[in-house]
Amino acid sequence: MANPRLWGLKKSPWVFHVAAASCNNCDIEILDLLTPRWDIERFGIVLVGSPRHADALLVTGVLNRKNLPRVLRVYEQTPKPCLVIGIGTCTCHTHMFESSYNVVGPYDKYLPIDVYIPGCPPKPESMIMGVVKALKRL
Amino acid sequence: MKKEYSKKILDEISTKFPDVSIKIHAPRRIYIKISREKLFDFAKFLHNEKGFRFSIATGIDTRDGIEIIYHFSHDEAGTYYNIKTLIPKDDLKIKSLATFLPATNWIEREIHELLGVDFVGHPNLIPLLTAETWPADLCPLRRDYADEHKDIKISKKPWEAS
Amino acid sequence: MKRIVPIGPYHPLQEEPEFFKLIVEGEKVVDLEINIGYNHRGHEFISQTLTWDQVPFLVERICGICSDSHPYAYVLAVEDIAHITAPPRAQYIRTIIGELERIHSHYLWLGLAGHFIGYNTVWMWVWRYREPLLDLFELIMGNRNHYAINKIGGARRDILPEDYPKIREYLDLLEKKNAMFTNAILDDPVIRGRLENVGVLTKEDAIAYAVTGPTARGSGYACDVRKDDPYDAYDKVDWDEIVFEEGDVLAKAKVRLIECNESIKIVRQCLKNMPEGPIETRVDEIPSGEGIGRHEAPRGEVFHYVRSDGSNMPVRHKVRAPSYMNIASNVIAVKGYSIADAALVLAAVDPCYCCTDRTFVYENGKKKYSGQDLLKLSWEKTEKIKRRYKK
Ligand code: SF4
């Protein structure tokens, strides 16, 4: 076991949810994961209230000028190693907001994202699958 | 009951403010043109005396100047009164409505930052939506806005620093 | 002594980023500053670069919760420019989806409000019965959210007759459960203790701040676009406008709960009277002119103003989202209440920052509470009230 933290991360990742300029649907679907039909807390995945407690960040939405420094700040506050999971088509590229004056471009210019889960919004099943795939790679 | 637009209100408007021009697009969609100087009193009349609900304001960059449309809703009749006024481009000033109508506070800030209109008398005319780094004289909804500010400067990438 | 409690922009109170600066004296909130813009993507700018038929997909993505309302209002605005009327069947379909969306949104709020006062049971139960509705959406339109049902001059998809029984079945289930929730929430002394006389917005303030939707109707100001300015099938069905006078959080919750019942009524009648026929008309061109579309979204009035110059793109497209006005009224509603109530009051208007920003920082040193602490304070207060009732 090379890195005990990494080992801990694999068992029950605590996630912090960072909504950049999203349309809220991805966020609602993430909350949906906690409710009875999916109930991911069974697997030890907990949504925490501070990035300092988190093992993984769930980012949604596109980056804009105002929230980019804040998102980077949250990333800096997260203890490393951490997983960054991009949820939704918005994180894969800039979706249909490309031509806007306030959108600063795709995520990979600024943040190292480990998994992209496409879909607008992705179904909860595919979110679970994405997270599981990411954990398997560790 | 509360169906058709009331002719009485339109008559009252045209007697009180004789120099407005009224266009009825549809029974419940009424457009009224008024000069920039009269607008403040007119809006006050609509809101305070007639009890219309302020809905929103739209700023449009047109050939002759910046056009601002104040949308008022007459909820009992379900009618929209859209008050248009034109501001010449060389003198982008208009009297703020926020002094008696707090609902206009945010939208005037928004029009100020996106179209560069100066609202005289507004209590707190600071940018609402754009970032702190956004140059104050750059108005993205203007026709002459060019896409030169696409690249934002980032001092360091966090994962490279450590 | 005045202290500043910064909340946000990333905090567990809401899912979206926004920044509140609560200015407190002891336990009491004396002022509030709101800083938005973290969600601003410049929809109005982008929509000037898209063609008429592409814009509905863009405005749908203003907000995921009211993702039927914005395209609905936009489509009505363009139909207003071109004097088009959608065929009757399309009108009924759009009305049905609009009402189903209202139920979904109100349930979402109810669950989150339960979460804010520490009643996670309410959250889990309510969201459990929201789930089958999303399945219905998937059945009808192919996606759980972002329905893409509205189209200029009609509807994009038909509701097939073989799907009617499934919708009816769900409505029956929902009617029972909604009665259960209404009773459970209104009879519970603890929930009443938390919601009653908290965050009161008087009728005068409601008018001055131009709020709409359940926020206004909970304050005794009757304004509902569906009644005032009926469009599509709303004047062909029979339903009531729900208005309560008190203006506190409980009144807003009551408005939303009872409105769900009205929505069930509307959908039932629409299904029963659904006319046969085509679901779209042919639209050749949009003439130059200007148009207004209004739709009563779950949170209030959605208003779109579109101007056309006869080309294939809008010249100007203005979006008025209900939360834009409703959130600003928080400044009044939260004043004078304790910090423990702040979380609930800030959430009472069912804020939707995505809508507001369509078109705030871990503060240095002064930090006293975070959003999480606010939630905790709120939960502690519920515990206190619970204990009081046990004695
Ligand atoms: S991917 Fe789609 S659903 Fe998710 S935030 Fe972006 S627009 Fe909204």
Side-chain angles (χ1 to χ4, degrees):
Chain A
M1 185 203 322
N3 189 339
R5 251 204 71 95
L6 212 56
W7 177 78
L9 202 159
K10 268 170 90 167
K11 292 302 168 199
S12 68
W14 284 18
V15 297
F16 180 71
H17 169 202
V18 193
S22 72
C23 83
N24 221 340
N25 238 338
C26 284
D27 316 272
I28 296 297
E29 293 290 72
I30 289 171
L31 282 188
D32 228 17
L33 285 174
L34 300 176
T35 54
R37 186 178 285 184
W38 282 281
D39 195 12
I40 50 160
E41 287 191 0
R42 288 177 295 170
F43 308 121
I45 303 178
V46 183
L47 217 54
V48 292
S50 161
R52 294 181 203 280
H53 303 159
D55 302 310
L57 291 180
L58 297 178
V59 288
T60 60
V62 291
L63 289 171
N64 73 14
R65 268 159 224 269
K66 204 163 178 178
N67 67 28
L68 174 64
R70 275 83 178 186
V71 171
L72 293 184
R73 189 88 165 256
V74 169
Y75 178 77
E76 280 168 24
Q77 287 174 348
T78 318
K80 312 286 171 326
C82 71
L83 266 180
V84 186
I85 301 163
I87 293 198
T89 313
C90 277
T91 53
C92 301
H93 46 97
T94 39
H95 209 312
M96 45 199 332
F97 311 113
E98 231 241 288
S99 56
S100 167
Y101 51 88
N102 211 29
V103 173
V104 292
Y107 268 82
D108 45 11
K109 269 196 191 156
Y110 309 104
L111 266 183
I113 294 212
D114 298 294
V115 210
Y116 292 100
I117 303 174
C120 184
K123 291 184 71 172
E125 293 94 323
S126 64
M127 288 190 200
I128 297 178
M129 195 175 82
V131 174
V132 169
K133 272 190 179 163
L135 292 179
K136 271 198 188 142
R137 290 285 302 275
L138 286 181
Chain B
M1 188 184 112
K2 44 182 178 182
K3 288 301 163 229
E4 287 314 303
Y5 71 93
S6 85
K7 199 156 177 321
K8 226 174 85 216
I9 290 180
L10 286 183
D11 287 344
E12 207 177 326
I13 287 174
S14 39
T15 46
K16 251 194 152 150
F17 297 88
D19 49 356
V20 297
S21 68
I22 298 174
K23 186 184 136 210
I24 299 171
H25 175 77
R28 294 218 184 87
R29 307 279 185 262
I30 295 163
Y31 295 89
I32 300 174
K33 268 204 190 107
I34 193 162
S35 68
R36 161 166 71 146
E37 289 73 29
K38 294 269 172 58
L39 182 107
F40 186 82
D41 295 328
F42 190 48
K44 213 166 184 170
F45 165 74
L46 289 185
H47 181 263
N48 289 359
E49 283 175 41
K50 290 264 128 329
F52 288 5
R53 174 170 60 81
F54 173 74
S55 174
I56 200 81
T58 312
I60 306 172
D61 190 359
T62 63
R63 204 164 288 136
D64 321 316
I66 305 269
E67 192 175 323
I68 297 195
I69 311 178
Y70 289 89
H71 305 280
F72 282 90
S73 163
H74 185 207
D75 282 332
E76 269 119 66
T79 314
Y80 249 75
Y81 291 82
N82 308 286
I83 320 301
K84 290 183 180 179
T85 184
L86 198 69
I87 311 177
K89 282 228 175 103
D90 46 8
D91 180 33
L92 285 175
K93 280 202 184 75
I94 188 166
K95 208 165 163 192
S96 166
L97 301 189
T99 41
F100 73 96
L101 193 55
T104 54
N105 192 323
W106 279 16
I107 185 66
E108 288 185 350
R109 280 166 68 183
E110 188 185 315
I111 294 178
H112 172 68
E113 68 178 321
L114 298 184
L115 281 158
V117 178
D118 207 359
F119 287 90
V120 182
H122 189 284
N124 184 21
L125 203 59
I126 53 172
L128 177 73
L129 298 171
T130 48
E132 301 84 352
T133 51
W134 186 263
D137 52 348
L138 197 65
C139 306
L141 284 187
R142 290 269 198 94
R143 291 269 165 239
D144 52 9
Y145 168 79
D147 226 4
E148 68 233 12
H149 289 263
K150 197 83 187 158
D151 279 319
I152 193 172
K153 290 275 173 296
I154 302 266
S155 54
K156 66 174 200 295
K157 293 185 179 174
W159 67 95
E160 283 170 357
S162 54
Chain C
M1 196 192 81
K2 279 192 186 154
R3 252 173 190 287
I4 295 175
V5 183
I7 314 174
Y10 289 103
H11 57 83
L13 213 58
Q14 309 276 336
E15 314 91 60
E16 305 119 294
E18 70 283 329
F19 179 60
F20 293 116
K21 224 190 225 169
L22 286 179
I23 300 163
V24 296
E25 252 174 22
E27 270 278 284
K28 221 162 136 200
V29 182
V30 292
D31 209 350
L32 171 77
E33 274 176 37
I34 307 172
N35 186 349
I36 57 169
Y38 296 98
N39 232 323
H40 181 55
R41 281 161 289 170
H43 275 92
E44 291 170 11
F45 179 82
I46 306 171
S47 101
Q48 294 167 15
T49 64
L50 299 180
T51 60
W52 294 110
D53 273 336
Q54 286 173 333
V55 177
F57 297 102
L58 175 77
V59 289
E60 192 170 66
R61 278 155 183 82
I62 289 176
C63 169
I65 310 175
C66 22
S67 67
D68 182 54
S69 312
H70 285 288
Y72 204 153
Y74 165 77
V75 160
L76 288 173
V78 178
E79 288 174 0
D80 182 27
I81 299 178
H83 297 288
I84 307 169
T85 339
R89 189 175 174 89
Q91 294 189 357
Y92 274 76
I93 291 173
R94 299 202 296 211
T95 306
I96 289 177
I97 303 300
E99 288 310 306
L100 288 179
E101 187 202 54
R102 189 179 318 278
I103 297 173
H104 133 76
S105 173
H106 283 348
Y107 267 45
L108 194 137
W109 177 82
L110 198 63
L112 287 180
H115 174 62
F116 289 143
I117 57 172
Y119 265 52
N120 277 342
T121 335
V122 175
W123 183 26
M124 294 297 161
W125 272 82
V126 169
W127 280 43
R128 186 179 156 191
Y129 291 108
R130 189 179 148 262
E131 221 37 74
L133 182 54
L134 297 183
D135 288 348
L136 269 186
F137 285 145
E138 199 174 349
L139 181 79
I140 300 171
M141 292 155 293
N143 197 1
R144 285 161 55 89
N145 321 73
H146 288 329
Y147 324 119
I149 191 83
N150 296 299
K151 180 179 181 214
I152 298 167
R156 203 171 284 280
R157 279 168 197 274
D158 202 353
I159 300 181
L160 302 177
E162 54 260 38
D163 292 343
Y164 294 178
K166 285 184 191 134
I167 302 178
R168 289 213 180 94
E169 202 179 306
Y170 173 69
L171 292 178
D172 291 342
L173 171 81
L174 190 77
E175 197 172 25
K176 260 188 250 133
K177 294 300 165 191
N178 198 42
M180 182 187 90
F181 288 136
T182 315
N183 290 338
I185 287 172
L186 299 187
D187 287 351
D188 190 317
V190 180
I191 296 188
R192 274 198 100 99
R194 276 313 304 280
L195 304 187
E196 221 162 10
N197 295 329
V198 167
V200 177
L201 185 73
T202 59
K203 192 172 171 182
E204 288 72 44
D205 288 338
I207 293 171
Y209 278 80
V211 297
T212 48
T215 315
R217 293 199 285 275
S219 293
Y221 182 55
C223 68
D224 192 325
V225 184
R226 296 172 290 166
K227 268 273 187 273
D228 299 339
D229 185 5
Y231 46 97
D232 283 5
Y234 281 112
D235 51 352
K236 297 171 195 118
V237 289
D238 167 47
W239 60 282
D240 296 321
E241 189 177 351
I242 311 295
V243 182
F244 282 95
E245 298 293 331
E246 297 88 358
D248 53 2
V249 183
L250 186 68
K252 289 169 198 165
K254 279 196 280 193
V255 169
R256 294 200 171 95
L257 273 167
I258 300 174
E259 255 183 27
C260 287
N261 264 338
E262 297 300 318
S263 296
I264 295 173
K265 241 162 85 182
I266 297 176
V267 177
R268 279 219 180 107
Q269 291 175 44
C270 284
L271 281 181
K272 202 168 124 218
N273 306 335
M274 184 93 117
E276 295 293 324
I279 56 163
E280 53 183 320
T281 47
R282 200 186 136 114
V283 181
D284 289 327
E285 56 159 1
I286 310 293
S288 67
E290 47 200 347
I292 285 172
R294 307 168 72 191
H295 169 66
E296 181 76 17
R299 287 164 185 71
E301 180 193 356
V302 166
F303 164 90
H304 281 228
Y305 169 84
V306 183
R307 180 178 283 191
S308 153
D309 61 352
S311 68
N312 61 345
M313 291 176 191
V315 179
R316 182 77 170 89
H317 178 192
K318 174 76 197 165
V319 179
R320 178 225 197 254
S323 301
Y324 193 82
M325 294 299 180
N326 293 355
I327 290 174
S329 77
N330 269 341
V331 175
I332 305 257
V334 84
K335 254 183 222 170
Y337 296 97
S338 70
I339 306 178
D341 289 329
L344 186 64
V345 177
L346 294 184
V349 300
D350 197 354
C352 178
Y353 298 93
C354 310
C355 287
T356 313
D357 294 6
R358 102 258 141 242
T359 42
F360 302 58
V361 207
Y362 287 73
E363 202 101 341
N364 23 25
K366 276 180 279 167
K367 191 164 172 192
K368 200 177 156 209
Y369 300 104
S370 70
Q372 185 78 46
D373 297 329
L374 269 196
L375 266 189
K376 276 213 193 93
L377 274 177
S378 171
W379 294 344
E380 273 163 23
K381 185 168 176 192
T382 308
E383 284 299 315
K384 252 190 247 157
I385 297 181
K386 257 191 208 161
R387 255 178 267 136
R388 202 161 68 220
Y389 276 101
K390 274 198 195 115
K391 268 181 213 154

